[in-house]
PDB file of all heavy atoms in Angstrom:
ATOM      1  N   VAL J 296       9.929  10.096  -1.445  1.00 85.00           N
ATOM      2  CA  VAL J 296      10.173  10.872  -2.683  1.00 85.00           C
ATOM      3  C   VAL J 296       9.007  11.748  -2.940  1.00 85.00           C
ATOM      4  O   VAL J 296       7.789  11.242  -2.835  1.00 85.00           O
ATOM      5  CB  VAL J 296      10.295   9.848  -3.843  1.00 85.00           C
ATOM      6  CG1 VAL J 296      10.531  10.726  -5.221  1.00 85.00           C
ATOM      7  CG2 VAL J 296      11.453   8.974  -3.778  1.00 85.00           C
ATOM      8  N   ARG J 297       9.216  13.064  -3.205  1.00 86.00           N
ATOM      9  CA  ARG J 297       8.066  13.971  -3.494  1.00 86.00           C
ATOM     10  C   ARG J 297       7.860  13.889  -5.052  1.00 86.00           C
ATOM     11  O   ARG J 297       8.796  14.089  -5.887  1.00 86.00           O
ATOM     12  CB  ARG J 297       8.393  15.374  -3.123  1.00 86.00           C
ATOM     13  CG  ARG J 297       7.226  16.309  -3.323  1.00 86.00           C
ATOM     14  CD  ARG J 297       7.554  17.626  -2.703  1.00 86.00           C
ATOM     15  NE  ARG J 297       7.855  17.559  -1.236  1.00 86.00           N
ATOM     16  CZ  ARG J 297       6.953  17.708  -0.314  1.00 86.00           C
ATOM     17  NH1 ARG J 297       5.673  17.852  -0.601  1.00 86.00           N
ATOM     18  NH2 ARG J 297       7.277  17.739   0.928  1.00 86.00           N
ATOM     19  N   LEU J 298       6.633  13.627  -5.447  1.00 87.00           N
ATOM     20  CA  LEU J 298       6.317  13.493  -6.882  1.00 87.00           C
ATOM     21  C   LEU J 298       5.367  14.603  -7.193  1.00 87.00           C
ATOM     22  O   LEU J 298       4.351  14.994  -6.478  1.00 87.00           O
ATOM     23  CB  LEU J 298       5.688  12.112  -7.126  1.00 87.00           C
ATOM     24  CG  LEU J 298       6.478  10.841  -6.774  1.00 87.00           C
ATOM     25  CD1 LEU J 298       5.616   9.656  -6.940  1.00 87.00           C
ATOM     26  CD2 LEU J 298       7.728  10.845  -7.692  1.00 87.00           C
ATOM     27  N   GLU J 299       5.499  15.115  -8.423  1.00 87.00           N
ATOM     28  CA  GLU J 299       4.470  15.965  -8.996  1.00 87.00           C
ATOM     29  C   GLU J 299       3.170  15.154  -9.365  1.00 87.00           C
ATOM     30  O   GLU J 299       3.218  13.922  -9.615  1.00 87.00           O
ATOM     31  CB  GLU J 299       5.006  16.641 -10.357  1.00 87.00           C
ATOM     32  CG  GLU J 299       6.328  17.427 -10.065  1.00 87.00           C
ATOM     33  CD  GLU J 299       6.774  17.992 -11.361  1.00 87.00           C
ATOM     34  OE1 GLU J 299       6.196  17.891 -12.461  1.00 87.00           O
ATOM     35  OE2 GLU J 299       7.930  18.523 -11.324  1.00 87.00           O
ATOM     36  N   ALA J 300       2.121  15.823  -9.541  1.00 87.00           N
ATOM     37  CA  ALA J 300       0.849  15.249  -9.958  1.00 87.00           C
ATOM     38  C   ALA J 300       1.076  14.503 -11.314  1.00 87.00           C
ATOM     39  O   ALA J 300       1.781  15.082 -12.098  1.00 87.00           O
ATOM     40  CB  ALA J 300      -0.219  16.167 -10.092  1.00 87.00           C
ATOM     41  N   GLY J 301       0.512  13.321 -11.450  1.00 90.00           N
ATOM     42  CA  GLY J 301       0.778  12.687 -12.660  1.00 90.00           C
ATOM     43  C   GLY J 301       0.573  11.124 -12.462  1.00 90.00           C
ATOM     44  O   GLY J 301       0.081  10.579 -11.416  1.00 90.00           O
ATOM     45  N   ARG J 302       0.837  10.367 -13.546  1.00 92.00           N
ATOM     46  CA  ARG J 302       0.761   8.868 -13.536  1.00 92.00           C
ATOM     47  C   ARG J 302       2.305   8.344 -13.360  1.00 92.00           C
ATOM     48  O   ARG J 302       3.118   8.758 -14.062  1.00 92.00           O
ATOM     49  CB  ARG J 302       0.196   8.435 -14.773  1.00 92.00           C
ATOM     50  CG  ARG J 302      -1.251   8.764 -14.889  1.00 92.00           C
ATOM     51  CD  ARG J 302      -1.884   8.365 -16.234  1.00 92.00           C
ATOM     52  NE  ARG J 302      -1.708   6.845 -16.324  1.00 92.00           N
ATOM     53  CZ  ARG J 302      -1.528   6.254 -17.514  1.00 92.00           C
ATOM     54  NH1 ARG J 302      -1.411   6.948 -18.529  1.00 92.00           N
ATOM     55  NH2 ARG J 302      -1.353   4.942 -17.617  1.00 92.00           N
ATOM     56  N   TYR J 303       2.328   7.273 -12.503  1.00 93.00           N
ATOM     57  CA  TYR J 303       3.516   6.649 -12.321  1.00 93.00           C
ATOM     58  C   TYR J 303       3.501   5.188 -12.212  1.00 93.00           C
ATOM     59  O   TYR J 303       2.582   4.555 -11.984  1.00 93.00           O
ATOM     60  CB  TYR J 303       4.056   7.172 -10.887  1.00 93.00           C
ATOM     61  CG  TYR J 303       4.456   8.666 -10.863  1.00 93.00           C
ATOM     62  CD1 TYR J 303       3.457   9.564 -10.617  1.00 93.00           C
ATOM     63  CD2 TYR J 303       5.787   9.093 -11.202  1.00 93.00           C
ATOM     64  CE1 TYR J 303       3.763  10.927 -10.520  1.00 93.00           C
ATOM     65  CE2 TYR J 303       6.007  10.515 -11.142  1.00 93.00           C
ATOM     66  CZ  TYR J 303       5.011  11.435 -10.864  1.00 93.00           C
ATOM     67  OH  TYR J 303       5.396  12.696 -10.854  1.00 93.00           O
ATOM     68  N   ARG J 304       4.643   4.500 -12.464  1.00 93.00           N
ATOM     69  CA  ARG J 304       4.701   3.056 -12.363  1.00 93.00           C
ATOM     70  C   ARG J 304       5.921   2.788 -11.462  1.00 93.00           C
ATOM     71  O   ARG J 304       6.945   3.460 -11.611  1.00 93.00           O
ATOM     72  CB  ARG J 304       4.979   2.548 -13.735  1.00 93.00           C
ATOM     73  CG  ARG J 304       5.274   1.059 -13.777  1.00 93.00           C
ATOM     74  CD  ARG J 304       5.432   0.392 -15.125  1.00 93.00           C
ATOM     75  NE  ARG J 304       6.043   1.264 -16.096  1.00 93.00           N
ATOM     76  CZ  ARG J 304       5.624   1.474 -17.279  1.00 93.00           C
ATOM     77  NH1 ARG J 304       4.612   0.948 -17.769  1.00 93.00           N
ATOM     78  NH2 ARG J 304       6.275   2.293 -18.090  1.00 93.00           N
ATOM     79  N   ALA J 305       5.727   1.860 -10.463  1.00 93.00           N
ATOM     80  CA  ALA J 305       6.864   1.477  -9.584  1.00 93.00           C
ATOM     81  C   ALA J 305       7.125   0.016  -9.725  1.00 93.00           C
ATOM     82  O   ALA J 305       6.160  -0.820  -9.930  1.00 93.00           O
ATOM     83  CB  ALA J 305       6.472   1.837  -8.208  1.00 93.00           C
ATOM     84  N   ARG J 306       8.418  -0.425  -9.733  1.00 94.00           N
ATOM     85  CA  ARG J 306       8.756  -1.745  -9.663  1.00 94.00           C
ATOM     86  C   ARG J 306       9.786  -1.925  -8.629  1.00 94.00           C
ATOM     87  O   ARG J 306      10.805  -1.246  -8.586  1.00 94.00           O
ATOM     88  CB  ARG J 306       9.307  -2.101 -11.027  1.00 94.00           C
ATOM     89  CG  ARG J 306       9.815  -3.565 -11.095  1.00 94.00           C
ATOM     90  CD  ARG J 306      10.455  -3.930 -12.465  1.00 94.00           C
ATOM     91  NE  ARG J 306      10.944  -5.222 -12.397  1.00 94.00           N
ATOM     92  CZ  ARG J 306      11.888  -5.654 -13.242  1.00 94.00           C
ATOM     93  NH1 ARG J 306      12.249  -4.979 -14.246  1.00 94.00           N
ATOM     94  NH2 ARG J 306      12.305  -6.883 -13.074  1.00 94.00           N
ATOM     95  N   ILE J 307       9.616  -3.014  -7.767  1.00 91.00           N
ATOM     96  CA  ILE J 307      10.547  -3.302  -6.672  1.00 91.00           C
ATOM     97  C   ILE J 307      10.966  -4.807  -6.827  1.00 91.00           C
ATOM     98  O   ILE J 307      10.128  -5.636  -7.187  1.00 91.00           O
ATOM     99  CB  ILE J 307      10.030  -2.953  -5.325  1.00 91.00           C
ATOM    100  CG1 ILE J 307      11.101  -3.101  -4.286  1.00 91.00           C
ATOM    101  CG2 ILE J 307       8.841  -3.874  -5.049  1.00 91.00           C
ATOM    102  CD1 ILE J 307      10.774  -2.474  -3.013  1.00 91.00           C
ATOM    103  N   GLU J 308      12.300  -4.957  -6.617  1.00 92.00           N
ATOM    104  CA  GLU J 308      12.861  -6.374  -6.882  1.00 92.00           C
ATOM    105  C   GLU J 308      13.675  -6.665  -5.583  1.00 92.00           C
ATOM    106  O   GLU J 308      14.538  -5.824  -5.363  1.00 92.00           O
ATOM    107  CB  GLU J 308      13.533  -6.448  -8.183  1.00 92.00           C
ATOM    108  CG  GLU J 308      14.251  -7.805  -8.381  1.00 92.00           C
ATOM    109  CD  GLU J 308      15.020  -7.705  -9.618  1.00 92.00           C
ATOM    110  OE1 GLU J 308      15.160  -6.642 -10.329  1.00 92.00           O
ATOM    111  OE2 GLU J 308      15.576  -8.819  -9.999  1.00 92.00           O
ATOM    112  N   ALA J 309      13.484  -7.818  -4.899  1.00 89.00           N
ATOM    113  CA  ALA J 309      14.400  -8.229  -3.847  1.00 89.00           C
ATOM    114  C   ALA J 309      15.707  -8.706  -4.608  1.00 89.00           C
ATOM    115  O   ALA J 309      15.631  -9.410  -5.555  1.00 89.00           O
ATOM    116  CB  ALA J 309      13.729  -9.288  -3.113  1.00 89.00           C
ATOM    117  N   LEU J 310      16.828  -8.306  -4.041  1.00 92.00           N
ATOM    118  CA  LEU J 310      18.025  -8.630  -4.654  1.00 92.00           C
ATOM    119  C   LEU J 310      18.707  -9.898  -4.019  1.00 92.00           C
ATOM    120  O   LEU J 310      19.702 -10.484  -4.550  1.00 92.00           O
ATOM    121  CB  LEU J 310      19.052  -7.498  -4.596  1.00 92.00           C
ATOM    122  CG  LEU J 310      18.546  -6.253  -5.407  1.00 92.00           C
ATOM    123  CD1 LEU J 310      19.565  -5.076  -5.237  1.00 92.00           C
ATOM    124  CD2 LEU J 310      18.337  -6.528  -6.818  1.00 92.00           C
ATOM    125  N   GLU J 311      18.168 -10.288  -2.894  1.00 90.00           N
ATOM    126  CA  GLU J 311      18.758 -11.550  -2.230  1.00 90.00           C
ATOM    127  C   GLU J 311      17.701 -12.280  -1.569  1.00 90.00           C
ATOM    128  O   GLU J 311      16.651 -11.816  -1.279  1.00 90.00           O
ATOM    129  CB  GLU J 311      19.682 -11.081  -1.029  1.00 90.00           C
ATOM    130  CG  GLU J 311      20.957 -10.445  -1.457  1.00 90.00           C
ATOM    131  CD  GLU J 311      21.874 -10.096  -0.393  1.00 90.00           C
ATOM    132  OE1 GLU J 311      21.614 -10.525   0.792  1.00 90.00           O
ATOM    133  OE2 GLU J 311      22.772  -9.223  -0.517  1.00 90.00           O
ATOM    134  N   ASN J 312      17.885 -13.627  -1.468  1.00 89.00           N
ATOM    135  CA  ASN J 312      16.951 -14.385  -0.604  1.00 89.00           C
ATOM    136  C   ASN J 312      17.375 -14.236   0.871  1.00 89.00           C
ATOM    137  O   ASN J 312      18.493 -14.680   1.115  1.00 89.00           O
ATOM    138  CB  ASN J 312      17.034 -15.839  -1.058  1.00 89.00           C
ATOM    139  CG  ASN J 312      16.491 -16.107  -2.490  1.00 89.00           C
ATOM    140  OD1 ASN J 312      15.481 -15.464  -2.759  1.00 89.00           O
ATOM    141  ND2 ASN J 312      17.081 -16.983  -3.281  1.00 89.00           N
ATOM    142  N   ILE J 313      16.487 -13.699   1.632  1.00 86.00           N
ATOM    143  CA  ILE J 313      16.751 -13.451   3.077  1.00 86.00           C
ATOM    144  C   ILE J 313      16.141 -14.699   3.788  1.00 86.00           C
ATOM    145  O   ILE J 313      14.967 -14.860   3.886  1.00 86.00           O
ATOM    146  CB  ILE J 313      16.161 -12.175   3.558  1.00 86.00           C
ATOM    147  CG1 ILE J 313      16.541 -11.053   2.649  1.00 86.00           C
ATOM    148  CG2 ILE J 313      16.527 -12.022   5.006  1.00 86.00           C
ATOM    149  CD1 ILE J 313      17.995 -10.619   2.698  1.00 86.00           C
ATOM    150  N   ARG J 314      16.921 -15.514   4.338  1.00 90.00           N
ATOM    151  CA  ARG J 314      16.697 -16.738   5.048  1.00 90.00           C
ATOM    152  C   ARG J 314      15.690 -16.481   6.163  1.00 90.00           C
ATOM    153  O   ARG J 314      14.719 -17.153   6.319  1.00 90.00           O
ATOM    154  CB  ARG J 314      17.919 -17.529   5.568  1.00 90.00           C
ATOM    155  CG  ARG J 314      17.553 -18.728   6.226  1.00 90.00           C
ATOM    156  CD  ARG J 314      18.834 -19.448   6.650  1.00 90.00           C
ATOM    157  NE  ARG J 314      19.760 -18.511   7.283  1.00 90.00           N
ATOM    158  CZ  ARG J 314      19.969 -18.514   8.614  1.00 90.00           C
ATOM    159  NH1 ARG J 314      19.387 -19.467   9.348  1.00 90.00           N
ATOM    160  NH2 ARG J 314      20.805 -17.712   9.093  1.00 90.00           N
ATOM    161  N   GLU J 315      15.908 -15.345   6.959  1.00 86.00           N
ATOM    162  CA  GLU J 315      15.063 -14.988   8.056  1.00 86.00           C
ATOM    163  C   GLU J 315      13.663 -14.639   7.627  1.00 86.00           C
ATOM    164  O   GLU J 315      12.706 -14.613   8.501  1.00 86.00           O
ATOM    165  CB  GLU J 315      15.624 -13.806   8.762  1.00 86.00           C
ATOM    166  CG  GLU J 315      17.004 -14.075   9.432  1.00 86.00           C
ATOM    167  CD  GLU J 315      18.184 -14.003   8.594  1.00 86.00           C
ATOM    168  OE1 GLU J 315      18.023 -13.750   7.339  1.00 86.00           O
ATOM    169  OE2 GLU J 315      19.247 -14.031   9.146  1.00 86.00           O
ATOM    170  N   LEU J 316      13.455 -14.366   6.349  1.00 83.00           N
ATOM    171  CA  LEU J 316      12.078 -13.990   5.919  1.00 83.00           C
ATOM    172  C   LEU J 316      11.293 -15.110   5.249  1.00 83.00           C
ATOM    173  O   LEU J 316      10.181 -14.871   4.737  1.00 83.00           O
ATOM    174  CB  LEU J 316      12.184 -12.782   4.876  1.00 83.00           C
ATOM    175  CG  LEU J 316      12.645 -11.541   5.505  1.00 83.00           C
ATOM    176  CD1 LEU J 316      12.723 -10.463   4.460  1.00 83.00           C
ATOM    177  CD2 LEU J 316      11.786 -11.006   6.689  1.00 83.00           C
ATOM    178  N   THR J 317      11.906 -16.356   5.228  1.00 87.00           N
ATOM    179  CA  THR J 317      11.216 -17.415   4.618  1.00 87.00           C
ATOM    180  C   THR J 317       9.877 -17.708   5.274  1.00 87.00           C
ATOM    181  O   THR J 317       9.899 -17.878   6.565  1.00 87.00           O
ATOM    182  CB  THR J 317      12.060 -18.701   4.707  1.00 87.00           C
ATOM    183  OG1 THR J 317      13.354 -18.425   4.058  1.00 87.00           O
ATOM    184  CG2 THR J 317      11.447 -19.913   4.230  1.00 87.00           C
ATOM    185  N   GLY J 318       8.825 -17.728   4.609  1.00 85.00           N
ATOM    186  CA  GLY J 318       7.533 -18.017   5.203  1.00 85.00           C
ATOM    187  C   GLY J 318       6.857 -16.741   5.745  1.00 85.00           C
ATOM    188  O   GLY J 318       5.749 -16.831   6.207  1.00 85.00           O
ATOM    189  N   VAL J 319       7.625 -15.691   5.692  1.00 83.00           N
ATOM    190  CA  VAL J 319       6.912 -14.356   6.258  1.00 83.00           C
ATOM    191  C   VAL J 319       6.282 -13.618   5.114  1.00 83.00           C
ATOM    192  O   VAL J 319       7.036 -13.352   4.103  1.00 83.00           O
ATOM    193  CB  VAL J 319       8.063 -13.506   6.946  1.00 83.00           C
ATOM    194  CG1 VAL J 319       7.384 -12.210   7.463  1.00 83.00           C
ATOM    195  CG2 VAL J 319       8.678 -14.328   8.131  1.00 83.00           C
ATOM    196  N   PRO J 320       5.040 -13.186   5.288  1.00 83.00           N
ATOM    197  CA  PRO J 320       4.495 -12.357   4.234  1.00 83.00           C
ATOM    198  C   PRO J 320       5.127 -10.897   4.192  1.00 83.00           C
ATOM    199  O   PRO J 320       5.266 -10.309   5.222  1.00 83.00           O
ATOM    200  CB  PRO J 320       2.950 -12.214   4.565  1.00 83.00           C
ATOM    201  CG  PRO J 320       2.802 -12.904   5.804  1.00 83.00           C
ATOM    202  CD  PRO J 320       4.040 -13.557   6.250  1.00 83.00           C
ATOM    203  N   VAL J 321       5.483 -10.508   3.058  1.00 81.00           N
ATOM    204  CA  VAL J 321       6.068  -9.300   2.789  1.00 81.00           C
ATOM    205  C   VAL J 321       5.201  -8.432   1.889  1.00 81.00           C
ATOM    206  O   VAL J 321       4.790  -8.820   0.984  1.00 81.00           O
ATOM    207  CB  VAL J 321       7.505  -9.298   2.208  1.00 81.00           C
ATOM    208  CG1 VAL J 321       8.145  -8.007   2.019  1.00 81.00           C
ATOM    209  CG2 VAL J 321       8.452 -10.177   3.083  1.00 81.00           C
ATOM    210  N   ARG J 322       4.926  -7.079   2.346  1.00 81.00           N
ATOM    211  CA  ARG J 322       4.112  -6.312   1.681  1.00 81.00           C
ATOM    212  C   ARG J 322       4.640  -4.926   1.248  1.00 81.00           C
ATOM    213  O   ARG J 322       5.505  -4.486   2.034  1.00 81.00           O
ATOM    214  CB  ARG J 322       2.757  -6.018   2.425  1.00 81.00           C
ATOM    215  CG  ARG J 322       1.952  -7.312   2.594  1.00 81.00           C
ATOM    216  CD  ARG J 322       0.708  -6.992   3.452  1.00 81.00           C
ATOM    217  NE  ARG J 322      -0.042  -8.189   3.705  1.00 81.00           N
ATOM    218  CZ  ARG J 322       0.154  -8.935   4.731  1.00 81.00           C
ATOM    219  NH1 ARG J 322       1.154  -8.833   5.445  1.00 81.00           N
ATOM    220  NH2 ARG J 322      -0.654 -10.081   4.851  1.00 81.00           N
ATOM    221  N   LEU J 323       4.403  -4.357   0.178  1.00 81.00           N
ATOM    222  CA  LEU J 323       4.789  -3.047  -0.188  1.00 81.00           C
ATOM    223  C   LEU J 323       3.690  -2.029  -0.081  1.00 81.00           C
ATOM    224  O   LEU J 323       2.463  -2.367  -0.660  1.00 81.00           O
ATOM    225  CB  LEU J 323       5.344  -2.972  -1.659  1.00 81.00           C
ATOM    226  CG  LEU J 323       5.807  -1.763  -2.027  1.00 81.00           C
ATOM    227  CD1 LEU J 323       7.000  -1.118  -1.267  1.00 81.00           C
ATOM    228  CD2 LEU J 323       6.184  -1.874  -3.643  1.00 81.00           C
ATOM    229  N   TRP J 324       3.830  -0.937   0.534  1.00 81.00           N
ATOM    230  CA  TRP J 324       2.665   0.010   0.557  1.00 81.00           C
ATOM    231  C   TRP J 324       3.218   1.358   0.066  1.00 81.00           C
ATOM    232  O   TRP J 324       4.389   1.765   0.425  1.00 81.00           O
ATOM    233  CB  TRP J 324       2.319   0.214   2.094  1.00 81.00           C
ATOM    234  CG  TRP J 324       1.202   1.289   2.287  1.00 81.00           C
ATOM    235  CD1 TRP J 324      -0.035   1.177   1.881  1.00 81.00           C
ATOM    236  CD2 TRP J 324       1.418   2.610   2.819  1.00 81.00           C
ATOM    237  NE1 TRP J 324      -0.791   2.393   2.165  1.00 81.00           N
ATOM    238  CE2 TRP J 324       0.109   3.177   2.686  1.00 81.00           C
ATOM    239  CE3 TRP J 324       2.511   3.270   3.317  1.00 81.00           C
ATOM    240  CZ2 TRP J 324      -0.066   4.491   3.220  1.00 81.00           C
ATOM    241  CZ3 TRP J 324       2.382   4.473   3.764  1.00 81.00           C
ATOM    242  CH2 TRP J 324       1.033   5.128   3.770  1.00 81.00           C
ATOM    243  N   ILE J 325       2.547   1.956  -0.849  1.00 81.00           N
ATOM    244  CA  ILE J 325       2.912   3.261  -1.345  1.00 81.00           C
ATOM    245  C   ILE J 325       1.950   4.301  -0.834  1.00 81.00           C
ATOM    246  O   ILE J 325       0.660   4.162  -1.044  1.00 81.00           O
ATOM    247  CB  ILE J 325       2.940   3.243  -2.952  1.00 81.00           C
ATOM    248  CG1 ILE J 325       3.876   2.263  -3.394  1.00 81.00           C
ATOM    249  CG2 ILE J 325       3.083   4.680  -3.449  1.00 81.00           C
ATOM    250  CD1 ILE J 325       3.867   2.045  -4.919  1.00 81.00           C
TER     251      ILE J 325
END
């Protein structure tokens, strides 16, 4: 997403429990 200069807030939510990711660290990078 292209954003104009300014202040922003982002929120991300997993919608399902993914069995294959159990015990795997997950990171979000902006």
Side-chain angles (χ1 to χ4, degrees):
V296 179
R297 185 173 302 271
L298 302 173
E299 298 175 10
R302 294 179 54 215
Y303 294 87
R304 174 177 36 229
R306 177 180 174 199
I307 190 164
E308 177 183 6
L310 297 177
E311 293 180 15
N312 290 325
I313 308 293
R314 184 176 45 104
E315 294 86 349
L316 295 178
T317 301
V319 175
V321 177
R322 294 178 182 87
L323 175 67
W324 178 73
I325 298 174

